Every structure is written in C-alpha cells, then in structure tokens.
C-alpha cells in the first residue's frame, strides 16, 4: 500500500495480495482518521460479501473466487468505543459483466485497488442497537 495526501483527501493504492478492509483500518488508525467517506475501484480475486438478514439479525456470507472488477467500493469511517470502525459495501463484476454486491467482509486484491478517503474532522460513534441487530450511528 502506498498513498498521497491531497488536502483532506487521501489517495491510496492497495497492492496485490493485500486485504482491503485490514489495509484501510490500519491506515485510518495510523493517520488518526475517525470520520470520513470511502470510495474506490480495483480488481480482487477472493471476496466475501454479506447480507444482513433482518429477521434473524445475522449476516449471511457468500464467497467469490476468480477474477473480479471492483466496480464500486463505497462506505464510511466512524468509531465504535473510540476505535476505527469501517462500514463498506462493494459491487463486483465477473468476466461476463455480471454484478455481485453486498456488505464487504473481505476483498483480497489481485491487481490493484484505488481508494479515496475523504476525511472530515470530528467523529461519529456507533452503538449496538439490539432491536435492529446492528451497530448504528449515534447522534
Ligand atoms: Fe453493511
């Protein structure tokens, strides 16, 4: 991974073999980024997407392996108990341009991944909501 800062935005290149969420979380911790938005594109070979089932309040995971374009990576940086918390969704396309999408649990980069983090000063905390079963933004 390498990066360049431009104003309040950070341009990241995540390299082959690196996992997107681990890399982004470590970067945010290192730079003290506690609030911001994430957008990106790239190519990944091993991906795990989740779907939150509201009835059971659990995530159903789906693994994808092969050549996939990350056609859209979108999400945000907040905190939970003061620690960096990423919430990222992704859409990926296969060789026939069929798209798969969901809550991103894992994406191992096979080519490159280009991410922009738009940092905002301040912070938003999350708190687990037992009714919903998710860590919601707390205002
Ligand atoms: Fe989600």
């Amino acid at each position: 991974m390498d990066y360049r800062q431009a104003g309040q935005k950070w341009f990241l290149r995540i390299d082959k073999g690196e996992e997107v969420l681990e890399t982004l979380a470590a970067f945010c911790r290192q730079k003290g980024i506690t609030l911001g938005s994430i957008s990106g594109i790239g190519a990944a070979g091993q991906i795990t997407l989740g779907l939150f089932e509201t009835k059971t309040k659990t995530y159903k995971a789906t693994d994808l392996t092969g050549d996939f374009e990350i056609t859209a990576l979108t999400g945000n940086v907040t905190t939970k108990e003061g620690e960096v918390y990423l919430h990222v969704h992704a859409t990926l396309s296969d060789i026939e341009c069929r798209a798969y999408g969901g809550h991103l649990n894992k994406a191992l980069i096979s080519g490159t991944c280009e991410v922009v983090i738009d940092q905002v000063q301040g912070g938003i905390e999350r708190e687990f909501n037992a009714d919903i079963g998710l860590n919601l933004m707390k205002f």
Side-chain angles (χ1 to χ4, degrees):
M1 190 277 289
D2 208 347
Y3 70 94
R4 181 171 295 173
Q5 185 176 16
Q8 65 176 13
K9 295 183 198 287
W10 302 84
F11 289 75
L12 282 72
R13 187 198 70 228
I14 302 175
D15 295 316
K16 182 174 181 174
E18 293 177 329
E19 198 282 313
V20 170
L21 295 174
E22 285 174 8
T23 303
L24 289 176
F27 184 79
C28 289
R29 282 194 293 268
Q30 185 197 333
K31 297 300 179 186
I33 300 168
T34 52
L35 186 61
S37 60
I38 293 169
S39 64
I41 54 175
Q46 285 177 49
I47 305 102
T48 306
L49 296 175
L51 171 80
F52 183 73
E53 289 186 317
T54 53
K55 202 171 184 178
T56 59
K57 299 177 185 172
T58 56
Y59 276 97
K60 181 183 180 295
T62 300
D63 294 320
L64 300 172
T65 304
D67 281 327
F68 289 91
E69 293 284 339
I70 304 171
T71 51
L73 187 80
T74 187
N76 56 57
V77 186
T78 54
T79 55
K80 183 164 185 285
E81 290 164 9
E83 297 294 317
V84 166
Y85 186 103
L86 301 182
H87 187 193
V88 180
H89 287 191
T91 305
L92 301 112
S93 66
D94 68 11
I95 197 163
E96 292 174 7
C97 298
R98 291 179 300 200
Y100 300 82
H103 178 99
L104 188 66
N105 290 333
K106 185 185 104 175
L108 203 60
I109 295 307
S110 57
T112 189
C113 185
E114 301 172 352
V115 175
V116 179
I117 301 174
D118 191 355
Q119 183 179 10
V120 182
Q121 294 308 313
I124 293 176
E125 265 282 304
R126 286 182 182 268
E127 189 175 59
F128 183 73
N129 181 302
D131 289 339
I132 306 293
L134 291 170
N135 296 312
L136 302 186
M137 290 181 184
K138 185 180 159 189
F139 298 116

